[in-house]
Amino acid sequence: LIHISGNQYRLNLIIYFDKINGNPGAKDPSATVSIYSKKDNTFIRNVTLVLTEESNVSYTQPECSSGEIVTDRLLYTAEITLPAEQFGDPEGYYISWQRCCRNYQIANIYSNVPNGGNDPLAAGQTFYLEFPPVVKNGSPFINSSPRLFPPLNDYACPGRPYYVDFAGIDDDGDSLYYSLVTPLNTVAYLALPGSNPRPYPEVIWKTGFSLQHVMKGLPDLSISKEGLLRVTPTLQGLFVFAVMVEEFRNKIKIG
């Protein structure tokens, strides 16, 4: 969520789409996301983001792969207005969008075919963003969310130490703190689960995997509070993980 001027903002959603394993029919022309109040999960309104840009992610270290991963970067965006009289609650707000499915080939979590929404081991994904009120103590509170997270375009090769700077940029100079979390599932195992407030369920780790053993690496996947990802993989495969970024201003968490 990027501040433009006044009460005008640009809301972006970036999806990395697996062209090898992904269903082309799941490449949506738009995404209708929902805004809720953090205080009581009250629905505020929907926003439709339109697919405006599609580009290929160029991977490096080709010796670690035989073309198993081909990825498109999809940018969905819209300009929105957040009026102070509607977005002034001190506890802030959150935006979410749910979509089935995750790749069925993922090694570390259960990601079964939904079978019409009847398989509890199916795995969708919930995109989630918190933002503070646009006014505090009667004055405008200007804030943009962290942005420009780089795509992970290097293969992590088994038996080799891997590290990458996953840190984003904060236009307001706010402090950012990074940590690994269990990825979010969807409330329903449907292609488009619709609009639902939190809480959102977590995916289910397969036996032997967990938040502390994401890839069974030696050492396993970790991220520093500054955003440096590290792992030395022991297995070849496709793994999912999630990073939570917390945004602080004057030592108070705002997003």
Side-chain angles (χ1 to χ4, degrees), residues 74-100:
L74 310 179
L75 173 63
Y76 295 80
T77 187
E79 189 170 320
I80 64 175
T81 301
L82 302 179
E85 59 272 16
Q86 191 176 26
F87 291 95
D89 189 278
E91 293 189 32
Y93 304 85
Y94 65 94
I95 306 171
S96 68
W97 185 61
Q98 301 178 75
R99 186 65 164 93
C100 175

Side-chain angles (χ1 to χ4, degrees), residues 199-252:
Y200 302 103
E202 297 177 341
V203 299
I204 300 174
W205 298 100
K206 289 184 177 178
T207 301
F209 294 96
S210 67
L211 185 56
Q212 292 71 39
H213 303 282
V214 173
M215 296 174 63
K216 295 185 179 179
L218 291 173
D220 200 51
L221 184 71
S222 65
I223 191 168
S224 72
K225 62 182 180 181
E226 295 83 17
L228 184 66
L229 277 168
R230 296 177 183 269
V231 67
T232 299
T234 59
L235 307 171
Q236 180 171 326
L238 189 63
F239 300 87
V240 66
F241 62 95
V243 174
M244 177 171 65
V245 187
E246 296 172 281
E247 181 185 16
F248 293 84
R249 184 176 300 179
N250 299 323
K251 299 184 179 180
I252 298 174

Side-chain angles (χ1 to χ4, degrees), residues 138-159:
S139 300
F141 189 79
I142 304 301
N143 182 65
S144 292
S145 302
R147 63 181 180 88
L148 286 182
F149 295 94
L152 298 181
N153 63 342
D154 284 329
Y155 295 108
C157 305

Side-chain angles (χ1 to χ4, degrees), residues 5 25 34 64 66 80 82 91 95 119 126 132 135 140 163 172 180 184 188 199-200 210 220 228 255:
S5 65
S34 302
C64 299
S66 300
I80 64 175
L82 302 179
E91 293 189 32
I95 306 171
D119 193 335
T126 294
V135 60
Y163 60 92
D172 310 298
L180 291 178
L184 295 177
Y200 302 103
S210 67
D220 200 51
L228 184 66

